[in-house]
Structure formats: structure tokens, C-alpha cells
């Protein structure tokens, strides 16, 4: 007899060329439903079939199927109690983004601090929030029109790419000094 939480990871490649956000979400949901027929394969077996082997995945996006916010309510009439609301988890990927459903969606980033800085993960989280807000505001817009980079950072990147001075091929060093 076995008791425990069994998780299987199925790699998915999502293509969004020419799709609206709503159609992408529908297509993705259907695709994920369709690949469930392959869930009997372990990730190790899938990786063995790939030329990339263990490097097939370097990050994972997890949608938990239990709402954390309803846990207390669900356990109210049981003999089960939670000793701590805090926990620790470890994943076998440099980056794992875990989404917990509920009235308020919770997104947790677990990452290898030897590979990513707290600042870089904060930037990624800010970008994700921006993209999710755009998706909610206009689900019929095209995926390619989503602004991934926040406005402030986009302006800083544009400024960083500007030349420091104007170039005038008619102006040489002697003329510039005489001015």
C-alpha cells in the first residue's frame, strides 16, 4: 500500500503566433487535456526519449489543484489540524512558478539562488503581474501585443540604447574643436 502525493510532470510547448489571449487559453486547456493520456509516462521516461535528456526542462509552471484559502473551511468538521501555515518545498528545477487557485490567486516563485538573484525574480514577478492584468483587461487582444516589460523599465532600456551624441559625417574633429 502506498500513501502520498503523486505528481507527474508532462512537458508542454505552447505556440501563440496569431492567436488572441482567449483562443490561446482555450487551445492550451484543450492541449493539456489531450496530453493527459500520456501521464502514465514518468518524466524520466520522457526525458530519455529527448535528445536533451535531463536538460529538457529547466523550469516548471505548476497549477495546484487545491485552493489554499479553503483549507481551513474544509477541515472545520474533521479531526485534522494544521500545525503551521508556513512550509518549505524543494523542486528539482532552477525555477518553479507555482499557482494556487482560489478567490485570490497566489503565485509562488521557488528558485535556485545560485542561478537567479532575488532582484531578477522580483522583476519577472512584476512582468508576470503586468501581463496577467493585460490578459484580464482585454482577452481578445493578440498575444503578440502584450507588453511584457513594465513601462519604466522599457523607457530605461530605450534610453540605454540611445547614442551619447549625434553623428554628423560633415563634422570632423578639427571643426568640432574650433566651434
Amino acid at each position: 500500500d502506498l500513501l502520498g502525493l503523486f505528481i507527474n510532470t508532462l512537458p508542454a510547448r505552447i505556440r501563440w503566433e496569431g492567436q488572441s489571449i482567449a483562443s490561446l487559453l482555450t487551445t492550451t486547456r484543450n492541449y493539456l487535456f489531450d496530453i493527459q493520456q500520456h501521464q502514465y509516462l514518468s518524466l524520466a521516461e520522457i526525458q530519455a526519449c529527448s535528445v536533451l535528456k535531463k536538460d529538457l526542462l529547466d523550469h516548471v509552471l505548476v497549477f495546484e489543484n487545491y485552493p489554499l484559502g479553503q483549507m481551513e473551511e474544509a477541515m472545520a468538521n474533521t479531526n485534522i489540524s494544521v500545525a503551521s501555515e508556513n512550509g518549505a518545498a524543494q523542486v528539482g528545477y532552477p525555477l518553479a512558478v507555482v499557482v494556487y487557485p482560489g478567490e485570490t490567486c497566489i503565485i509562488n516563485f521557488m528558485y535556485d539562488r545560485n542561478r537567479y538573484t532575488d532582484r531578477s525574480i522580483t522583476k519577472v514577478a512584476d512582468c508576470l503581474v503586468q501581463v496577467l492584468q493585460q490578459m484580464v483587461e482585454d482577452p481578445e487582444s493578440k498575444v503578440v501585443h502584450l507588453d511584457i516589460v513594465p513601462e519604466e523599465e522599457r523607457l530605461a532600456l530605450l534610453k540605454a540604447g540611445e547614442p551619447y551624441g549625434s553623428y554628423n559625417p560633415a563634422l570632423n574633429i578639427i571643426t568640432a574643436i574650433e566651434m
Side-chain angles (χ1 to χ4, degrees):
D1 292 346
L2 294 174
L3 175 67
L5 181 62
F6 297 97
I7 299 172
N8 196 11
T9 304
L10 295 174
R13 177 176 284 171
I14 309 298
R15 299 184 188 277
W16 61 82
E17 292 85 7
Q19 291 194 57
S20 70
I21 293 164
S23 68
L24 174 68
L25 293 174
T26 300
T27 302
T28 301
R29 181 196 61 215
N30 293 339
Y31 172 71
L32 294 174
F33 179 77
D34 290 343
I35 67 171
Q36 290 303 310
Q37 64 183 320
H38 303 291
Q39 68 182 349
Y40 64 88
L41 289 171
S42 70
L43 181 58
E45 290 172 302
I46 293 170
Q47 288 171 321
C49 295
S50 166
V51 296
L52 297 174
K53 304 296 182 205
K54 69 176 181 61
D55 294 325
L56 178 64
L57 301 175
D58 65 354
H59 61 278
V60 64
L61 176 62
V62 178
F63 287 92
E64 294 292 359
N65 61 358
Y66 57 91
L68 289 179
Q70 297 174 4
M71 184 170 65
E72 210 173 283
E73 180 185 318
M75 294 186 328
N77 297 320
T78 69
N79 290 329
I80 301 171
S81 64
V82 175
S84 172
E85 292 182 9
N86 297 322
Q90 184 174 348
V91 293
Y93 303 97
L95 174 62
V97 181
V98 184
V99 180
Y100 299 96
E103 201 169 299
T104 301
C105 182
I106 298 169
I107 301 174
N108 186 18
F109 289 80
M110 293 185 283
Y111 56 96
D112 180 351
R113 284 191 163 83
N114 292 321
R115 197 154 173 187
Y116 300 104
T117 64
D118 293 343
R119 185 169 181 247
S120 66
I121 295 298
T122 299
K123 280 185 170 187
V124 169
D126 291 344
C127 293
L128 179 59
V129 167
Q130 176 174 314
V131 167
L132 291 173
Q133 287 172 334
Q134 292 173 72
M135 291 172 72
V136 169
E137 289 168 5
D138 189 7
E140 294 307 320
S141 70
K142 298 286 186 191
V143 175
V144 297
H145 295 135
L146 289 171
D147 288 324
I148 297 171
V149 179
E151 182 70 12
E152 184 179 311
E153 187 170 346
R154 186 181 68 77
L155 292 174
L157 289 169
L158 289 172
K159 184 162 180 66
E162 289 178 358
Y164 287 101
S166 58
Y167 173 71
N168 180 352
L171 185 65
N172 62 36
I173 189 75
I174 303 298
T175 310
I177 292 172
E178 292 174 349
M179 295 172 90

